[in-house]
Amino acid sequence: MATLVRKLLRVLTRSLITAATATATHLITIDDNVNPTLIAPASLTAVCDISEQPAYTTYAEFTAAGGTASDNCGIDEGSFTLLSEVSDGNTCPEVITRTYQIADHCGNSATATQLITIDDNVNPTHCSGIF
């Protein structure tokens, strides 16, 4: 997990009636080590090929399809990416698992998976007179 540490130094000076001054320093450390959350859109289906359900290439496409992301310090939408697309190796049905990733503005990241089931359940038809 990546973190971003920012430090802010405040110096407060107060003049007293006796012409003396008092100074205090206050160091504030901001350290975001909280991962964002990423929730993928609902599972999809395809009949013949994975190309029927193209992967989301932008965060806008991902959220338009029902996905969400949130973070305590803000989401870096430009960091959204498809990490992998893996088949279970089966046929009829075949299940493809897509893993997406996004990061916050401090570099902390989260992943979410979406399942796509490819299942040709349409029976072939015979056209008379062709054979």
Side-chain angles (χ1 to χ4, degrees):
M1 172 181 351
T3 61
L4 175 67
V5 177
R6 287 186 271 170
K7 294 185 179 189
L8 174 64
L9 179 63
R10 290 184 184 168
V11 178
L12 306 171
T13 304
R14 179 165 183 151
S15 297
L16 303 175
I17 296 175
T18 62
T21 59
T23 302
T25 57
H26 185 202
L27 178 64
I28 302 170
T29 302
I30 303 167
D31 184 7
D32 177 14
N33 57 8
V34 177
N35 287 340
T37 59
L38 184 64
I39 301 171
S43 297
L44 300 172
T45 58
V47 177
C48 294
D49 189 77
I50 189 65
S51 64
E52 296 171 32
Q53 300 289 357
Y56 310 116
T57 59
T58 66
Y59 181 65
E61 290 175 352
F62 183 82
T63 57
T68 62
S70 63
D71 185 71
N72 61 328
C73 291
I75 292 296
D76 177 6
E77 294 181 13
S79 71
F80 177 79
T81 189
L82 172 66
L83 284 182
S84 65
E85 185 172 274
V86 179
S87 170
D88 66 0
N90 295 324
T91 57
C92 294
E94 174 186 14
V95 177
I96 306 290
T97 302
R98 287 185 179 146
T99 302
Y100 294 95
Q101 181 180 45
I102 200 161
D104 64 15
H105 293 294
C106 295
N108 302 307
S109 63
T111 60
T113 59
Q114 182 185 42
L115 302 179
I116 302 95
T117 302
I118 304 168
D119 192 12
D120 181 1
N121 56 11
V122 177
N123 290 328
T125 58
H126 174 71
C127 297
S128 62
I130 294 179
F131 298 102

